[in-house]
Amino acid sequence: MKPPPFEYYAPTTVEEALVHLAEHGYDAKPLAGGQSLIPMMNFRLAQPAVIVDLNNIEGLSFIRPEDDGSLAVGAMTRHQMVEKSELIVEKAPLVHETMPQIATSQIRSRGTFGGSLAHADPSAELVCVSVALDGEFKIANQSGERWVPAKDFFLGLFTSVLEPEELLVEIKLPPFPERTGWSLKEIARRPHDFCLIGVAAVLTLDENNKCQGAKLVYLSAGDGPVEATQAAELLKGQDMTDEAIRAAAEKASAEEIDPSSDIHATAEFRRHLANVLTRRALKEALDRAKGN
Amino acid sequence: MAYHKITLTVNGEAEQVDVSSNMTLLRMLREKMGKTGTKNGCAAGECGACTVMVDGEPVNSCMMLAIECDGKEIVTVEGLADNGHLAPIQEAIIDSGGVQCGFCTPGILIASQALLDRNPNPSQAEIQEALVGNLCRCTGYVRIIEAVQAAAKMV
């Protein structure tokens, strides 16, 4: 129950970190908050030969409003700082609501916004929420940087488009349109544990209270964040009646998600939970959209 | 293996330690400094038995490298008492019967103290939230929560 030995680098700039990553390729792992990587090393599920510690790069920890109304979050911003941020309350209320549901206070003290996303765990709340919010990820490498939309960032179980010599450095969260509501619902055996299933809903109403656009993204429902596009399509242009909500929840939970069975729950039970949570999430999002 | 010299404060005392890169904060405390109050439970962030304060924040010391603690201020359960006088949370957990086997107690005390430091008058829900990362298999938690409430009144 201790990590295998490794070479350790503690760069103070992104450029310096990228040099180490480029030099060591697949042998190296960047260390962010370490709340997934270190336990994996404790159990020797991960045995990187080189650790590039990002904790001394001050320029990666920030929450900054952008001129276009969006919010930029530095990849090394700790969960706890995001949780307490007034800017997040104001500009990214879905993220604000998500933060206390992530793991435990001990883990939120160290865990980072970008670390959670780069880890690409399909049961991680932020992975799902970043897709629901149409987030954009800024990825740096030695030849420059590239932007990747959240929905294209995640490739599968613990897999993203990040190359070994690249770093996720910033996440951009666009502003909500007017009359937009949001909700995150999840069910876990123990509160704050990995959830059995969860859903993030974002709903925008037009001036007639009809659905202008909806987004339903699920966590723990497949190999990555699972977006139910057909269910969202069913809602578009509709009055948000109980019946419309039920039909969307039915579509998403029966046809669009792909949960697995394990000792905690069967896939069938997870689909049932997804159905119920989707209805609750859409209703909450609807109430909030009307109030905005 | 390469050793790194780090400087940090543990329970108010400045320390210089040589640590290997793969040594966790937990192992450094227990094996290099003899501070065995902090317990090694799951090594995966599930149980919270290894909770210490790092710069005032509760952290699972099994999931932080010692080398990351260069320049940081650590408080372990050994650092809660003041000149031999137990802290209110320690008195309260004894009085309320919130200790049985004792394995989870150091982590619970640190997590509770971290809560009381930022919120001197927490509600029951806030106490439960703050302790969600600490497992106790003996007490059923009720007396632990009562202890935090009692400690809040003492301060």
Side-chain angles (χ1 to χ4, degrees), chain B residues 6-17 28 33 35 69-74:
Chain B
I6 62 168
T7 309
L8 73 173
T9 309
V10 180
N11 299 333
E13 292 194 14
E15 306 266 5
Q16 255 201 356
V17 207
M28 180 191 77
M33 299 181 168
K35 300 204 184 301
C69 297
D70 196 17
K72 302 240 186 291
E73 214 170 285
I74 315 292

Side-chain angles (χ1 to χ4, degrees), chain A:
Chain A
M1 298 240 279
K2 57 187 180 189
F6 50 83
E7 245 179 279
Y8 175 85
Y9 297 101
T12 53
T13 64
V14 171
E15 292 70 30
E16 205 186 324
L18 291 172
V19 171
H20 293 303
L21 291 176
E23 186 184 339
H24 297 284
Y26 281 100
D27 289 338
K29 262 287 185 197
L31 172 66
Q35 302 302 284
S36 300
L37 180 57
I38 296 181
M40 283 167 73
M41 288 164 67
N42 281 341
F43 289 99
R44 312 243 165 160
L45 298 169
Q47 308 199 20
V50 174
I51 284 288
V52 180
D53 185 352
L54 309 179
N55 284 281
N56 298 301
I57 306 179
E58 281 179 21
L60 285 182
S61 176
F62 59 85
I63 302 171
R64 185 178 66 215
E66 301 284 71
D67 290 341
D68 62 1
S70 65
L71 204 58
V73 182
M76 285 298 290
T77 312
R78 301 206 190 272
H79 291 327
Q80 185 225 68
M81 180 172 159
V82 178
E83 190 178 352
K84 289 179 184 158
S85 162
E86 286 299 321
L87 269 171
I88 293 282
V89 175
E90 185 193 327
K91 301 219 175 232
L94 175 57
V95 173
H96 177 69
E97 188 163 283
T98 301
M99 297 319 290
Q101 300 191 48
I102 297 173
T104 66
S105 62
Q106 284 95 328
I107 288 170
R108 293 196 299 277
S109 296
R110 292 295 299 161
T112 65
F113 204 83
S116 175
L117 296 170
H119 185 51
D121 183 339
S123 62
E125 286 87 353
L126 287 179
V127 167
C128 162
V129 163
S130 69
V131 175
L133 292 178
D134 282 324
E136 286 191 68
F137 297 177
K138 182 170 154 185
I139 297 169
N141 55 45
Q142 279 194 296
S143 49
E145 59 186 50
R146 59 186 178 126
W147 284 91
V148 177
K151 69 175 168 49
D152 298 332
F153 179 82
F154 303 102
L155 297 180
L157 217 50
F158 304 111
T159 313
S160 72
V161 300
L162 280 175
E163 297 293 336
E165 70 277 8
E166 291 185 315
L167 270 186
L168 172 61
V169 290
E170 182 181 318
I171 297 90
K172 199 166 157 183
L173 303 169
F176 274 151
E178 300 265 297
R179 312 209 69 210
T180 297
W182 67 91
S183 179
L184 176 75
K185 298 283 178 206
E186 59 176 52
I187 286 188
R189 301 277 298 207
R190 292 181 307 167
H192 301 263
D193 212 337
F194 290 109
C195 70
L196 297 176
I197 198 112
V199 58
V202 176
L203 174 71
T204 305
L205 296 176
D206 66 15
E207 64 275 17
N208 299 317
N209 275 345
K210 288 188 196 299
C211 169
Q212 186 172 307
K215 236 178 203 304
L216 291 168
V217 188
Y218 293 81
L219 59 154
S220 297
D223 286 347
V226 179
E227 188 174 352
T229 49
Q230 297 171 44
E233 201 54 43
L234 282 183
L235 290 170
K236 215 169 176 181
Q238 301 292 312
D239 282 318
M240 291 295 292
T241 59
D242 285 355
E243 205 159 287
I245 288 174
R246 210 164 23 238
E250 185 63 36
K251 182 84 178 172
S253 59
E255 297 175 26
E256 294 196 78
I257 62 172
D258 184 23
S260 51
S261 293
D262 59 27
I263 55 165
H264 302 297
T266 61
E268 191 191 354
F269 181 53
R270 285 190 162 94
R271 284 187 196 277
H272 165 74
L273 293 175
N275 191 332
V276 176
L277 292 182
T278 305
R279 280 183 269 152
R280 289 182 190 167
L282 281 172
K283 281 183 186 160
E284 186 169 59
L286 176 62
D287 287 342
R288 285 171 167 167
K290 284 178 177 165
N292 275 351

Side-chain angles (χ1 to χ4, degrees), chain B residues 37-141:
Chain B
T38 307
K39 301 302 182 220
N40 182 8
C42 67
E46 302 275 348
C47 75
C50 68
T51 305
V52 301
M53 275 191 242
V54 178
D55 288 346
E57 303 290 348
V59 163
N60 289 320
S61 59
C62 72
M63 300 206 294
M64 186 166 182
L65 299 175
I67 200 171
E68 291 183 87
C69 297
D70 196 17
K72 302 240 186 291
E73 214 170 285
I74 315 292
V75 178
T76 70
V77 69
E78 290 91 344
L80 287 180
D82 185 13
N83 274 330
H85 296 286
L86 292 183
I89 184 64
Q90 292 173 303
E91 294 282 3
I93 206 164
I94 295 168
D95 293 345
S96 69
V99 181
Q100 285 185 32
C101 88
F103 194 84
C104 73
T105 310
I108 299 237
L109 287 170
I110 292 287
S112 302
Q113 188 62 53
L115 168 69
L116 291 170
D117 286 347
R118 67 174 185 267
N119 179 357
N121 192 18
S123 67
Q124 185 178 327
E126 286 167 334
I127 297 170
Q128 286 171 322
E129 278 293 315
L131 294 180
V132 89
N134 294 81
L135 292 183
C136 171
R137 301 291 78 180
C138 305
T139 64
Y141 301 101

